[in-house]
Amino acid sequence: MKNICLTLILAIILASSCKKDDDTSKKIMGPNFSFEGTPMESLSPNTSLPEGLFDCGFAGESSPDIHPVENGVFGVTQTPYDGETYLGMVVRANDTWERIGIELETPLTAGKVYDFSIYLSRSLNYRNSNSSVASNFATPCILRIWGGFSMCQREELLAKSEAVEHEAWKEYKFEITPTLKVSHIVLEAFYMTPTPFPYNGNILLDNASGFIER
């Protein structure tokens, strides 16, 4: 009887281990989903981004920022949710906004359902010191997630968040079902809609989960 019980216990443990391995194999990641890099406030285009991230913003505009920067002039002081750094992106009153491109390890399959989560926040201070007119990019904005077939391509809108108004980190969960095969994604700061005119705002990003197939 003891041998039978022991065999059943071992079988349950083995089955559980196999299920965990199977779940892990169904998670599709991109490089550096914790946005780890050298802290830097971007004051110009083509500033270095964390490894694996590509600047997909507008020509002539600054790149996203890597926070927190000790004694930084922007005034962003949130502690990272995960790791040592996180990403900051802005929308601007001149009708431009920041976005990054990421190549996935393997493509998302059209028609399959994926769970994706990311931690978002907003800084009450995001001061622009590179302008003749001082501005605080503090208005809430949203995150949009695009899918495509090449870096920076926005072929299909996969998901978008509500307006991120809070300072504390909050996990946002999305159910994503691409209608196309998606090999790259774009994470994009964007204005709350509807809005009568573009404005200055910011969003902070940390600890993306990867795409977990259901």
Side-chain angles (χ1 to χ4, degrees), residues 127-180:
R127 295 185 291 270
N128 178 14
S129 62
N130 196 34
S131 173
S132 58
V133 180
S135 300
N136 187 17
F137 288 63
T139 305
C141 54
I142 69 172
L143 174 70
R144 298 202 301 191
I145 304 169
W146 294 86
F149 321 123
S150 60
M151 194 66 77
C152 296
Q153 184 184 36
R154 295 178 298 158
E155 184 69 24
E156 179 180 13
L157 182 61
L158 301 174
K160 62 180 180 179
S161 73
E162 60 190 33
V164 178
E165 301 180 346
H166 45 84
E167 285 187 276
W169 290 106
K170 176 182 175 183
E171 184 182 24
Y172 282 71
K173 298 179 179 181
F174 304 96
E175 178 183 297
I176 290 175
T177 308
T179 62
L180 306 166

Side-chain angles (χ1 to χ4, degrees), residues 62-132:
S62 60
S63 305
D65 310 297
I66 310 169
H67 297 292
V69 176
E70 186 175 0
N71 300 318
V73 296
F74 288 3
V76 179
T77 59
Q78 269 95 324
T79 300
Y81 181 85
D82 178 71
E84 300 296 325
T85 59
Y86 53 91
L87 201 67
M89 296 194 292
V90 301
V91 297
R92 307 182 185 91
N94 66 356
D95 203 20
T96 66
W97 54 93
E98 293 179 341
R99 50 187 180 237
I100 59 166
I102 301 173
E103 182 176 7
L104 299 176
E105 291 176 339
T106 58
L108 305 182
T109 302
K112 288 193 174 181
V113 181
Y114 299 88
D115 291 315
F116 178 81
S117 67
I118 189 169
Y119 282 78
L120 303 177
S121 175
R122 172 180 69 109
S123 179
L124 295 182
N125 291 305
Y126 214 115
R127 295 185 291 270
N128 178 14
S129 62
N130 196 34
S131 173
S132 58

